[in-house]
Amino acid sequence: MSTTQERILTDAVREKIRGLLPRYPTKQAVTLPALHAVHDALGYVPQEAVVEVAELLELHPAQVQDTLSFYGFFEQEKPLGRHRLWVCRSLSCAAREGEKLLAYLCEKLGIRPGQTTEDGRIRLEFAECLGACDFAPAILADDTLHGNMTKEKIDELIDSLE
Amino acid sequence: MSTVIIDEHEIEIPEGKRLNVIEAAQLAGIEIPRYCWHPGLSVAGSCRMCLVEVGTRDAKTGQINMMPKLVPACNTPATDGTVIVTQSEKVQRARAMVEERLLVRHPIDCPICDKAGECLLQDYHFQYGEKERRADLRPFTSRRRDIGDVTLFVDRCVMCSRCVRFAREISGTSELMVINRGSHEEIDVVPGYPLSNKLSGNVVDLCPVGALGDKDFLYQQRVWFLARRPGICTGCATGCSIWIDENQDRIYRLKPRENLHVNKWWICNDGRYGYPHVHDPRRLAGPKRREGGRAVDVDWSALPGELTEKLRGAGRLAAVVSPHLTVEEAYLLCKLMRELDPKAVLALGPVPTVGQHETFPGGFTISAEKCPNRRGVEEILKHFTNGVTGFEQFLGQLEEGEIRCAWVSGGYRNDWIDEDTAAKFHRLDLLVVQDLFPSPLSERATYELPAAAFAERDGSYVNRGDRLQSAPWAIRPPAGVRVEGSLLWELLDLEGLYDARAVLDEMSLEMAYFQAAADDLPEVGIDLKVNLLAGAGSGAESA
Amino acid sequence: MSAFEPVLTANIHKDNSHTLKVYEAGGGYRALRKAVKTMAPKEVVDMVRASNLRGRGGAGFPTGLKWTFLPEGHPGPIYLCVNADESEPGTFVNRIQMEFDPHQVLEGTILSAFATRAAAAYIYIRYEYPQCHKRMQQAIDEAYEAGYLGKSVLGSDFRLDVTIHRGAAAYVCGEETGLIESIEGKRAWPRIKPPFPAVEGLFRKPTVVNNVETLANVVHIVDRGVDWFKSIGVPADPNNPRDPGSYGPKLFGVSGHVNRPGCYELPLGVSARELIDEHAGGVWKDRKAKAVIPGGLSTGVMTEPELDTAMDFSALQSVGCLGLGTGCMMVVDETYPMIELLHNSCRFFSHESCGQCTPCREGTHWAVEIIERIKAGRGRLKDLDLLMEISQSMGIIPGTTICGLADGAAWPIKTTIVKFRDELEELIKQTNPVGYAVTDPVDALEDEAHRNWPVLGTTRPYAASTAN
């Protein structure tokens, strides 16, 4: 289906996916790790990538797409911003002003959860319990968990993200 | 033998049979409601409509211990001593609960939904549902989505996942998927990979509600106006059992009829949509005689006498016996020819073949032979002629010039004979063509007789697996058409009206191959070969 | 009982506690060595059985007993899945374990794989724990190098491969068969049971799924013995032969309106009140607790007078809670409106419901619809009865759903309405003085209106489906 010219997955990503195959007895089991590999590399998983992953794993594209869409995690329209901010909305964080902080962030960045800022810098999401209840309210910014958030700390965090 | 107690019934389950509670209940005449379970698909257990109470009865003491929680009947085996309760208050409340949940977000589409009248959501609502709505009111109609061979009304879906399982397990094509999670789930296809396979129409049968719609049948007819008649598909040598849904002699759709020996619950799209030709206005409309190049209408009442006279004096007779004829019609045609001319040439009509047999992962097979009765006609020819003369061979015999008169039966759905082949019939003094559509051959015919379509005739076919299946006529033919069997019956000077069953009776006495057809035929037909072998074959060949 | 000495969190305050060097210096892998070199797998199973260790992930099923469900003499391969999907709201203790003592988790994994004769182990770590991914992978790499993993563990003929499998933000992947389906690359729809995972699990092979904290306990049972383990916690009820007791240490999380939210390792059986007042610094701002969720959102709420209940596997049911759950407590004070707790809970479960079975998929959605209408000032008293009925109709306890997510969704609704009915009725009457007594169905909220909630809708918009 896809020619080398039109291929969206780089050789590096393909190699990474193939490298996972020996760890599982079925190819289908590599679906989720493969989706992560693509998402990490491209910032999203476009339609064409779904097809290519399916080809690599000898699945029908529908078998990859349905798994992908089950997890609200994967973006499909266009690349995420440079930074992805997950703001927890579960009970302990909500009880410690978490929702107000999310509202503050939305106002500050001018976007709603599920959207990216115009300059492509920040993608905002709400998260279900981040497992950081010991420092609620918490925000997961890329790979770092930030706890005990306040408006001031949010300002600091936003400033620190390029 | 295992004993299962279901409500007030005690039923025996034969040794070796592994049944779930739904199937066991069916043996007792009890239908447990369900959306997602289907005998031909894997068990999902997700709709929760089939919840029942089960327990066990101690074999020695007879004491019954019921389990405290409800279980899904589809995933519970019915083994010796299983006790099943389907009518308790707990079960009734569970059914009402599931119904109510499904209706909370269901669009108010009944007035515009094809499925009304054969919809499980409707049926179970009346049987088990609550009288009043308690959920908030948000009337809306369903979004519609084109997913390929069928159309999808997204919001009517109850997430039974039958269609997805069908595409994965039976057609093996996996185009359908469930996207998103929770109450946002929808059925969809990947753009560029629509639902497109030869068995795709079956998902509409499977859908318990009106979510999946047949593009051919959509908005054509309300199902309560349809009469449902049993039939047999004549599209290929698989011979699927079908239902013919008609209203006032017009077919609106064909559906597969359950037959575990042939097609199970399925039918291919060619078969499913293989009825438009029946109502094609191009069909031959009335008998005609050609004299001096002009076609003249003939009266059906005068025709038999005229034909018999002409055939008697015609010299060497021949008949081309179409593999679209029923075994009864084929037998009568051969018998008639041989009565008129003991040396009449009997040949098999062309057997249209397309590609190879195609078997799908679920086991369903589409035959390469696109006619229903080659097996049956062959055996009849062997009986009369000790061999089978193929069509090519017959054409060769035509060249030799001995044959003076031929009776050619057609009944094919598309063009089956070209100008060059038709030209080979030029030497004949008398040509009778009995066919559905005009063709280069019918244009040469001395007598052009309109044939009846498959749904208009009584009779039996023998499929590729030596299974004989019978079906009565479902619709009346158009006014100027007389079914083949009726004409042949009269030409043979038989008393009364055409009686296909009587013909089959005679055949079962005359021919070892048809021996097993002597008794009443089950709806699923009968395997002639098995019974032939069992009855210590008398020299007849098996396929 | 002697003074309790933490074992699960003994290392976490050490510098570089996550490294092999520090772990081994503290006695790490001693238990594994003992098992592989001197014990047969069955002996390890027997020890865990005798200890009555119960699963720490929420269900509390006796671990050793679960291991015995694996079929004898099966050609295999047998799989061990480590459930590190920790997504139960309020729960964060596995995170601490994996971040600060990954080797303990790993040792527990390897030991348990040895006992169950597993050929491969998959550690399913939720996406939201990136630091845990890093640290666990580091630990695994170190373990391979040191001979604790690979073709020949500690020179024996026991071989094990461990793979980390990254989740993608779905709570239902914490359900054992949902986890299995997720590893297999499919939608995480939990499976109908039977068959159970021990018979037919991952890739249709015999599989054991265990929680992180449970596996860490295995290390200490093997290291210090069954008697030691049973000296901690609450003994089995002598009058009830089926009661396995509540033995061993537990990592209790406390969060919400307390002065010192955190993870506290204590023997099972400590009271909720003691946990809050003596360990977590008491309710903040000098207030009193209004509602306490004992063990993760699924367990429902306790009221202030009920706080003397013991945090173990059997006492919490007596105050109407689902059970101990994860043992991670959330506290809200007297100023917190219960409608918010209800909304937060129902929204969570509706978002996380996998969607395959009708009562959960539709019930959780309907509950959110009702609650949002109440918050919009159009609630009816009847809605509370409706919510009660919805909650009572779904779950594996009545048998109406495939998995326990529905029970988890039901319990907060049930307990909140039963225990705080007056407050909710008052709210409805005050915010809808005209219509609160109506019993007929009312119009649903317009989609626009309820999307105007400060920032959040009920769910995240999903990827667009194919056009009409």
Side-chain angles (χ1 to χ4, degrees):
Chain A
M1 266 232 98
S2 43
T3 65
T4 322
Q5 266 186 308
E6 299 160 359
R7 273 180 6 177
I8 194 162
L9 297 187
T10 61
D11 287 335
V13 172
R14 286 168 178 271
E15 269 320 296
K16 183 146 188 230
I17 294 173
R18 284 200 195 94
L20 294 162
L21 292 169
R23 298 206 151 263
Y24 301 89
T26 69
K27 290 199 160 132
Q28 188 168 29
V30 180
T31 303
L32 191 52
L35 289 172
H36 274 301
V38 174
H39 200 256
D40 288 345
L42 301 178
Y44 72 139
V45 187
Q47 187 68 63
E48 305 92 307
V50 170
V51 175
E52 289 181 31
V53 168
E55 271 171 15
L56 276 169
L57 302 181
E58 292 174 22
L59 299 168
H60 190 283
Q63 290 173 287
V64 177
Q65 178 64 31
D66 74 351
T67 296
L68 184 161
S69 72
F70 182 83
Y71 305 96
F73 172 85
F74 295 103
E75 170 59 43
Q76 288 203 282
E77 306 272 303
K78 55 182 198 274
L80 302 167
R82 289 192 292 285
H83 302 284
R84 201 173 192 186
L85 257 49
W86 298 86
V87 183
C88 181
R89 70 172 188 176
S90 286
L91 189 59
S92 290
C93 288
R96 289 177 80 114
E97 312 288 279
E99 300 212 5
K100 294 213 174 94
L101 291 178
L102 178 54
Y104 175 67
L105 253 174
C106 286
E107 203 194 299
K108 187 179 165 78
L109 298 174
I111 53 177
R112 293 172 61 84
Q115 295 180 335
T116 308
T117 52
E118 285 269 336
D119 58 6
R121 189 165 64 110
I122 294 175
R123 162 70 166 236
L124 189 61
E125 311 274 14
F126 62 73
E128 305 291 4
C129 186
L130 287 173
C133 326
D134 43 350
F135 357 91
I139 293 180
L140 176 65
D142 301 321
D143 278 354
T144 314
L145 208 44
H146 298 265
N148 298 315
M149 297 307 286
T150 58
K151 282 191 180 153
E152 293 72 35
K153 286 180 111 182
I154 283 180
D155 289 338
E156 263 175 50
L157 171 61
I158 299 298
D159 286 341
S160 74
L161 298 172
E162 279 163 11
Chain B
M1 272 296 192
S2 303
T3 308
V4 170
I5 303 99
I6 165 155
D7 293 338
E8 63 273 19
H9 309 270
E10 247 188 61
I11 53 162
E12 301 291 324
I13 297 185
E15 211 55 56
K17 265 210 172 297
R18 301 183 55 179
L19 303 179
N20 64 23
V21 167
I22 294 179
E23 292 163 321
Q26 281 173 331
L27 290 181
I30 296 172
E31 280 299 322
I32 293 177
R34 69 273 182 181
Y35 293 99
C36 68
W37 181 76
H38 187 278
L41 302 172
S42 62
V43 178
S46 61
C47 72
R48 312 311 280 186
M49 193 62 190
C50 70
L51 294 172
V52 289
E53 291 192 72
V54 296
T56 47
R57 184 173 73 180
D58 189 293
K60 296 194 197 74
T61 67
Q63 189 189 5
I64 293 181
N65 287 315
M66 299 301 292
M67 283 179 59
K69 51 176 81 175
L70 295 162
V71 298
C74 61
N75 194 42
T76 305
T79 53
D80 194 35
T82 303
V83 177
I84 304 157
V85 171
T86 74
Q87 299 301 325
S88 66
E89 206 198 304
K90 208 169 170 186
V91 173
Q92 287 176 359
R93 270 189 281 122
R95 290 175 182 174
M97 180 270 293
V98 172
E99 260 313 281
E100 183 179 31
R101 301 297 178 269
L102 289 174
L103 289 170
V104 171
R105 290 187 309 127
H106 196 75
I108 316 286
D109 274 357
C110 289
I112 55 169
C113 174
D114 255 20
K115 206 80 175 183
E118 54 181 19
C119 167
L120 288 186
L121 194 61
Q122 277 185 342
D123 294 345
Y124 294 156
H125 171 74
F126 285 112
Q127 286 177 273
Y128 309 110
E130 296 289 358
K131 288 191 183 21
E132 292 181 5
R133 181 182 174 87
R134 300 188 296 175
D136 297 351
L137 304 170
R138 185 187 268 122
F140 71 108
T141 65
S142 176
R143 291 170 290 153
R144 185 174 168 183
R145 178 179 291 160
D146 185 1
I147 54 171
D149 290 353
V150 305
T151 196
L152 171 67
F153 292 90
V154 182
D155 303 291
R156 297 178 191 166
C157 175
V158 293
M159 271 298 136
C160 72
S161 76
R162 278 181 175 187
C163 57
V164 176
R165 281 177 282 143
F166 178 86
R168 294 198 175 161
E169 296 162 19
I170 308 298
S171 66
T173 47
S174 300
E175 304 101 321
L176 294 174
M177 59 180 179
V178 177
I179 55 167
N180 302 339
R181 187 173 73 213
S183 55
H184 292 262
E185 280 176 345
E186 295 175 0
I187 300 292
D188 205 348
V189 291
V190 173
Y193 295 83
L195 176 70
S196 172
N197 63 73
K198 293 184 184 172
L199 303 183
S200 60
N202 289 294
V203 298
V204 179
D205 301 335
L206 284 172
C207 185
V209 298
L212 288 169
D214 187 308
K215 283 181 173 173
D216 176 67
F217 181 67
L218 198 64
Y219 305 139
Q220 294 308 307
Q221 183 75 196
R222 274 310 194 185
V223 304
W224 49 81
F225 293 134
L226 294 173
R228 172 158 283 194
R229 321 260 181 216
I232 296 146
C233 175
T234 56
C236 80
T238 300
C240 297
S241 297
I242 57 174
W243 291 115
I244 301 172
D245 286 348
E246 59 93 11
N247 182 14
Q248 298 176 71
D249 299 313
R250 181 158 198 100
I251 298 176
Y252 282 87
R253 64 179 183 188
L254 302 179
K255 286 242 182 218
R257 175 163 53 98
E258 182 181 318
N259 186 334
L260 296 177
H261 302 274
V262 182
N263 55 305
K264 298 222 171 77
W265 306 271
W266 321 122
I267 189 171
C268 76
N269 289 351
D270 280 345
R272 179 185 297 273
Y273 303 119
Y275 68 86
H277 71 279
V278 176
H279 303 297
D280 191 326
R282 289 186 314 122
R283 274 178 71 176
L284 297 179
K288 288 186 174 11
R289 182 203 318 126
R290 246 179 214 85
E291 38 196 37
R294 267 186 341 120
V296 167
D297 291 329
V298 188
D299 204 19
W300 272 114
S301 54
L303 195 57
E306 204 179 301
L307 267 182
T308 312
E309 203 195 296
K310 291 258 171 73
L311 289 169
R312 259 207 199 101
R316 173 84 329 122
L317 296 182
V320 173
V321 187
S322 165
H324 275 279
L325 289 180
T326 63
V327 296
E328 295 88 346
E329 290 159 352
Y331 178 76
L332 289 181
L333 179 57
C334 294
K335 190 170 172 190
L336 174 68
M337 291 292 114
R338 280 293 170 94
E339 255 178 39
L340 293 169
D341 173 2
K343 290 221 181 91
V345 174
L346 302 171
L348 177 64
V351 177
T353 308
V354 177
Q356 309 282 341
H357 291 325
E358 202 177 333
T359 303
F360 292 82
F364 185 87
T365 304
I366 301 176
S367 304
E369 253 175 41
K370 302 302 181 188
C371 54
N373 202 17
R374 179 186 59 82
R375 265 321 269 128
V377 170
E378 270 186 0
E379 288 296 325
I380 294 166
L381 290 177
K382 282 182 200 166
H383 170 72
F384 282 98
T385 68
N386 289 320
V388 178
T389 308
F391 191 63
E392 286 304 314
Q393 201 185 344
F394 171 75
L395 291 176
Q397 289 189 2
L398 271 186
E399 289 296 306
E400 288 160 21
E402 206 201 324
I403 300 171
R404 306 309 322 154
C405 157
W407 179 306
V408 179
S409 58
Y412 301 85
R413 295 175 191 195
N414 357 64
D415 302 331
W416 63 281
I417 189 163
D418 58 17
E419 183 56 52
D420 291 335
T421 318
K424 296 185 180 165
F425 288 74
H426 73 274
R427 283 207 186 81
L428 299 171
D429 303 323
L430 179 67
L431 174 62
V432 178
V433 174
Q434 193 176 29
D435 205 357
L436 282 172
F437 293 103
S439 67
L441 193 65
S442 71
E443 257 131 52
R444 293 186 141 73
T446 325
Y447 283 94
E448 188 185 278
L449 306 178
F454 74 96
E456 298 158 358
R457 295 156 35 220
D458 279 337
S460 321
Y461 304 99
V462 180
N463 77 357
R464 169 175 118 245
D466 291 292
R467 174 165 290 267
L468 179 110
Q469 296 183 81
S470 284
W473 61 268
I475 58 172
R476 280 172 285 251
V481 176
R482 191 172 171 189
V483 299
E484 285 87 316
S486 166
L487 175 62
L488 294 166
W489 183 270
E490 190 173 338
L491 288 173
L492 280 163
D493 220 3
L494 297 168
E495 292 250 336
L497 295 175
Y498 172 52
D499 182 352
R501 179 67 248 189
V503 179
L504 195 57
D505 283 338
E506 185 179 316
M507 290 169 68
S508 69
L509 293 171
E510 292 289 309
M511 295 181 268
Y513 182 74
F514 288 94
Q515 205 170 354
D519 305 312
D520 282 334
L521 292 173
E523 277 166 13
V524 295
I526 193 152
D527 184 331
L528 296 175
K529 191 162 61 217
V530 159
N531 290 278
L532 185 64
L533 294 171
S538 44
E541 280 144 27
S542 42
Chain C
M1 223 193 301
S2 50
F4 174 70
E5 188 201 315
V7 292
L8 299 170
T9 50
N11 296 327
I12 63 175
H13 296 295
K14 299 179 187 165
D15 283 336
N16 296 315
S17 58
H18 60 284
T19 58
L20 179 59
K21 190 161 161 204
V22 172
Y23 186 65
E24 277 177 329
Y29 289 106
R30 182 171 58 211
L32 181 63
R33 240 177 263 281
K34 174 178 171 185
V36 172
K37 293 200 185 281
T38 71
M39 297 170 75
K42 186 167 187 309
E43 286 177 71
V44 179
V45 176
D46 289 341
M47 274 188 97
V48 174
R49 256 242 59 197
S51 74
N52 280 2
L53 167 68
R54 294 172 74 165
R56 300 304 199 233
F61 194 85
T63 307
L65 182 60
K66 197 198 268 195
W67 288 359
T68 64
F69 294 157
L70 291 166
E72 290 272 334
H74 192 282
I78 295 175
Y79 293 108
L80 173 65
C81 293
V82 180
N83 191 340
D85 191 53
E86 189 169 68
S87 303
E88 181 72 40
T91 312
F92 53 91
V93 294
N94 292 165
R95 186 201 89 228
I96 291 173
Q97 287 183 284
M98 287 188 282
E99 223 181 287
F100 297 107
D101 208 349
H103 276 287
Q104 184 184 162
V105 175
L106 191 54
E107 187 179 359
T109 302
I110 305 172
L111 253 173
S112 304
F114 173 76
T116 55
R117 299 176 196 269
Y122 294 95
I123 306 183
Y124 193 105
I125 306 182
R126 63 181 303 206
Y127 164 77
E128 297 88 330
Y129 285 176
Q131 187 69 329
C132 296
H133 279 271
K134 238 173 87 182
R135 294 259 168 105
M136 282 304 303
Q137 187 58 59
Q138 208 178 325
I140 290 170
D141 294 338
E142 287 182 310
Y144 268 105
E145 251 195 70
Y148 295 122
L149 283 174
K151 292 199 188 12
S152 169
V153 175
L154 293 172
S156 73
D157 56 9
F158 166 50
R159 58 171 300 170
L160 183 69
D161 280 314
V162 176
T163 305
I164 293 181
H165 197 89
R166 200 198 317 180
Y171 168 77
V172 75
C173 292
E175 204 280 344
E176 63 177 4
T177 54
L179 187 144
I180 287 173
E181 288 282 301
S182 181
I183 293 180
E184 289 188 5
K186 298 180 254 175
R187 298 166 60 77
W189 276 6
R191 294 180 180 170
I192 43 176
K193 296 169 264 276
F196 287 85
V199 173
E200 223 183 278
L202 187 60
F203 307 119
R204 296 290 158 186
K205 300 289 185 220
T207 303
V208 165
V209 182
N210 280 131
N211 170 268
V212 164
E213 189 183 340
T214 311
L215 293 175
N217 273 286
V218 172
V219 175
H220 302 291
I221 291 171
V222 172
D223 190 36
R224 295 161 189 250
V226 173
D227 291 338
W228 163 84
F229 190 77
K230 281 179 125 161
S231 73
I232 303 165
V234 181
D237 177 358
N239 297 326
N240 181 359
R242 285 167 171 256
D243 176 25
S246 300
Y247 294 108
K250 179 78 186 73
L251 295 178
F252 291 103
V254 188
S255 64
H257 293 166
V258 293
N259 284 315
R260 278 204 309 271
C263 168
Y264 301 99
E265 184 178 348
L266 295 163
L268 276 167
V270 63
S271 75
R273 195 181 297 285
E274 185 188 321
L275 194 48
I276 295 170
D277 290 341
E278 287 177 39
H279 297 275
V283 180
W284 72 353
K285 304 186 180 171
D286 276 325
R287 294 185 187 152
K288 294 183 88 77
K290 179 178 190 181
V292 173
I293 294 176
L297 191 53
S298 301
T299 51
V301 302
M302 292 194 292
T303 56
E304 208 283 341
E306 292 171 338
L307 291 179
D308 295 300
T309 313
M311 298 283 287
D312 66 22
F313 287 107
S314 41
L316 290 158
Q317 286 84 330
S318 66
V319 293
C321 288
L322 186 51
L324 178 65
T326 59
C328 288
M329 185 180 276
M330 294 189 280
V331 178
V332 295
D333 70 31
E334 57 214 351
T335 67
Y336 196 75
M338 293 313 285
I339 189 70
E340 290 303 323
L341 190 148
L342 204 48
H343 187 201
N344 193 292
S345 173
C346 288
R347 195 181 56 187
F348 172 79
F349 288 106
S350 175
H351 186 214
E352 297 292 349
S353 170
C354 84
Q356 56 169 333
C357 52
T358 310
C360 177
R361 179 184 73 243
E362 303 296 339
T364 55
H365 180 104
W366 194 7
V368 177
E369 199 177 73
I370 293 172
I371 290 166
E372 293 195 338
R373 182 166 46 70
I374 293 175
K375 281 180 79 166
R378 292 181 42 224
R380 308 167 300 168
L381 291 178
K382 180 173 174 161
D383 290 331
L384 297 177
D385 299 320
L386 210 41
L387 284 166
M388 276 303 288
E389 212 189 294
I390 292 172
S391 70
Q392 279 157 347
S393 68
M394 56 187 184
I396 51 174
I397 290 173
T400 58
T401 55
I402 292 178
C403 84
L405 186 150
D407 303 79
W411 241 260
I413 302 176
K414 250 192 274 212
T415 50
T416 304
I417 292 180
V418 166
K419 299 180 183 183
F420 293 93
R421 186 153 194 140
D422 290 341
E423 177 184 326
L424 293 168
E425 286 192 350
E426 197 47 45
L427 173 77
I428 289 171
K429 284 183 186 159
Q430 281 192 2
T431 54
N432 190 10
V434 173
Y436 71 82
V438 165
T439 51
D440 288 335
V442 293
D443 290 334
L445 286 180
E446 285 303 317
D447 280 348
E448 278 320 309
H450 87 274
R451 298 243 177 271
N452 280 336
W453 284 112
V455 169
L456 309 166
T458 50
T459 54
R460 174 217 153 91
Y462 281 97
S465 42
T466 54
N468 278 5

